[in-house]
Amino acid sequence: MKVTIVGAGIAGLATAWALRSRGHQVNVFDQGPIPNPMASSHDEQRYHRFAYGRMSGYSSLALEAGAAWKRVWEALNRDLYIETGVLYLSSKEDEDILRSVDFAEHNGLDTEQIPQQLLKTRYPHFSIAEDARAFLFRQSGILLAERILVSLADWLRESGAVLHPHAKVVSVDHHDGTIETLSGRFQADAIVIAAGPWTPSLVPGSEVLQPARQISLFATGPARLAEAWRRSPALADLTVSGNFYATPPLRGTRIKLVTDLPFYGNCPDDDRHVSKSEIEAVAALAAGSLADFKDYQIVGARSCYYTNTSDRSFFVRRIERSWAVSACSGHGFKFGALAGLAMADAVEGKMNEADTRTKLEARISAPE
Ligand SMILES: Cc1cc2nc3c(=O)[nH]c(=O)nc-3n(C[C@H](O)[C@H](O)[C@H](O)COP(=O)(O)OP(=O)(O)OC[C@H]3O[C@@H](n4cnc5c(N)ncnc54)[C@H](O)[C@@H]3O)c2cc1C
């Protein structure tokens, strides 16, 4: 088949990889460079974790996603995942974390509750409240996001797919499979639209997708904490209002600080400059969760867009020859390889729209 893919974020590139691996002719279009720094997928690191409490549909899918990534590493001939483990800090009232521990135990995964008296010695770089519970989930870690995008794009070029950077798709004819860019029209047997937070401009009925601005900071820590960071798990501090996440500086990446705080902005084409007050909001949470944060230096800041749905489910739609896919909220990178394989099955007719949704969407939104 001849397939057009709109969008070279993780969903588009992974779909292109899955289709090209099966011998299809693939053309990938992106409005910017490939990869595009404006894409939601473009960052140094993304978490791969499965502790989602009562949203156990996410947890199961995250486990399946690990197997899908292994197929990507085999194709790329390199492993771009680092199993750092994730340390969750939660309050004593938090039942969700216990559900995640149950899920892990049922699935033969390794978790450890770390007693208070050991926390300071093991994690001198974290500032942990005395009444917090700490659980280490070992089979979780960091996907080297930007390197994955670059490697997938290189793999695609080498294996005969055609990449079209700086080719904004301005219209889609879902009926005859034609897209139009400023430089011409391209016809294909099928179109996959993986345009992230820009999807509503191309896909009728996709208004349920709500782009939401988010901020990440990059930091360097004091030399005395370098060793602690080098062997550190990623952190998910759920004891603070707004939650706080920090990833260790491994394989050339920087310490990254992120929160779930809401930021003002719902249009991915808006100014991406990060304001002083946005930096201060993230840094204020970092100061509560990292020891001696006053000795850190903020060396970078970037804005990026989540693509939320109200129930955090995947968005999958078929319109005649087109398929649209968008991952849920702030969790979609880890599902990228799996979504790519599912979309390839859908395009090949191995899964219909309902099955594809069940695979990617319904299981995620399942309440238990
Ligand atoms: C701060 C932050 C932290 C996150 N953390 C995590 C995490 O730890 N773990 C995790 O799993 N997920 C995380 N996510 C979510 C994850 O990054 C996204 O769900 C995922 O990357 C979305 O990928 P995508 O391919 O659907 O969209 P994108 O990466 O946005 O790709 C869409 C592409 O389509 C292109 N495009 C759009 N319109 C057009 C057009 N008209 N013509 C041509 N091209 C077009 C864009 O230029 C872009 O390159 C995070 C997101 C953010 C913002």
Side-chain angles (χ1 to χ4, degrees):
M1 290 173 79
K2 193 173 166 190
V3 187
T4 291
I5 293 175
V6 182
I10 191 58
L13 291 176
T15 303
W17 157 75
L19 286 164
R20 188 65 202 133
S21 306
R22 300 177 193 183
H24 299 293
Q25 262 179 273
V26 175
N27 278 272
V28 183
F29 295 81
D30 202 284
Q31 59 189 352
I34 295 179
N36 185 351
M38 297 297 118
S40 303
S41 306
H42 199 277
D43 205 338
E44 294 178 13
Q45 312 166 330
R46 289 280 183 252
Y47 280 75
H48 187 163
R49 58 195 182 96
F50 60 83
Y52 282 110
R54 71 197 66 220
M55 296 178 67
S56 63
Y58 261 50
S59 306
S60 308
L61 209 67
L63 285 187
E64 241 183 275
W69 282 115
K70 283 198 177 122
R71 291 172 65 176
V72 174
W73 312 148
E74 275 163 30
L76 299 180
N77 213 8
R78 76 187 70 162
D79 187 343
L80 296 172
Y81 167 67
I82 312 173
E83 199 156 88
T84 56
V86 175
L87 182 73
Y88 286 81
L89 304 178
S90 76
S91 67
K92 291 221 159 56
E93 299 75 47
D94 181 358
E95 290 295 316
D96 259 16
I97 196 74
L98 299 180
R99 288 173 195 250
S100 297
V101 171
D102 275 355
F103 175 89
E105 281 171 5
H106 274 98
N107 286 281
L109 301 168
D110 201 6
T111 58
E112 181 188 354
Q113 179 163 14
I114 306 190
Q116 262 293 335
Q117 63 273 24
L118 286 186
L119 287 171
K120 254 214 164 70
T121 346
R122 276 215 208 170
Y123 309 114
H125 52 319
F126 296 154
S127 168
I128 302 176
E130 280 182 7
D131 57 351
R133 288 190 300 203
F135 291 93
L136 180 63
F137 287 70
R138 289 190 204 284
Q139 288 100 341
S140 301
I142 298 303
L143 290 156
L144 297 169
E146 186 183 346
R147 277 187 232 170
I148 293 171
L149 301 178
V150 169
S151 304
L152 278 172
D154 288 346
W155 183 93
L156 284 164
R157 282 189 204 96
E158 281 159 22
S159 54
V162 186
L163 305 193
H164 304 259
H166 304 289
K168 179 171 178 159
V169 173
V170 290
S171 72
V172 180
D173 185 329
H174 304 283
H175 179 67
D176 76 356
T178 302
I179 57 147
E180 196 175 344
T181 70
L182 293 179
S183 55
R185 289 164 63 80
F186 296 81
Q187 208 273 328
D189 301 312
I191 301 172
V192 175
I193 301 172
W198 291 270
T199 305
S201 64
L202 293 172
V203 181
S206 61
E207 298 75 23
V208 292
L209 296 174
Q210 298 289 327
R213 182 175 164 101
Q214 193 46 256
I215 304 298
S216 313
L217 302 185
F218 298 92
T220 52
R224 66 180 180 282
L225 295 177
E227 179 56 19
W229 274 112
R230 204 188 52 74
R231 50 185 172 73
S232 179
L235 175 69
D237 186 351
L238 312 179
T239 63
V240 292
S241 163
N243 298 337
F244 174 77
Y245 305 90
T247 44
L250 298 173
R251 281 166 71 180
T253 63
R254 298 172 289 180
I255 297 172
K256 193 174 92 172
L257 316 173
V258 194
T259 70
D260 287 336
L261 292 171
F263 288 90
Y264 181 75
N266 58 11
C267 175
D269 289 322
D270 281 355
D271 182 6
R272 293 293 187 100
H273 173 77
V274 180
S275 70
K276 194 164 170 262
S277 64
E278 289 176 320
I279 293 177
E280 284 168 357
V282 179
L285 287 197
S289 299
L290 300 184
D292 296 335
F293 188 65
K294 59 179 182 355
D295 298 335
Y296 282 65
Q297 276 199 320
I298 305 297
V299 292
R302 67 186 302 269
S303 60
C304 176
Y305 277 78
Y306 286 165
T307 310
N308 290 325
T309 52
S310 57
D311 60 358
R312 299 218 226 167
S313 63
F314 254 79
F315 176 84
V316 177
R317 288 290 177 281
R318 180 179 190 171
I319 311 170
E320 302 187 70
R321 284 176 191 260
S322 299
W323 287 86
V325 62
S326 178
C328 38
S329 63
H331 307 292
F333 199 96
K334 70 180 75 58
F335 300 125
L338 191 70
L341 290 165
M343 291 317 291
D345 283 347
V347 166
E348 285 182 323
K350 290 181 185 152
M351 285 209 291
N352 62 24
E353 184 181 5
D355 291 344
T356 313
R357 274 206 202 132
T358 308
K359 171 125 188 112
L360 291 177
E361 182 179 274
R363 291 188 52 188
I364 280 179
S365 54
E368 280 298 330

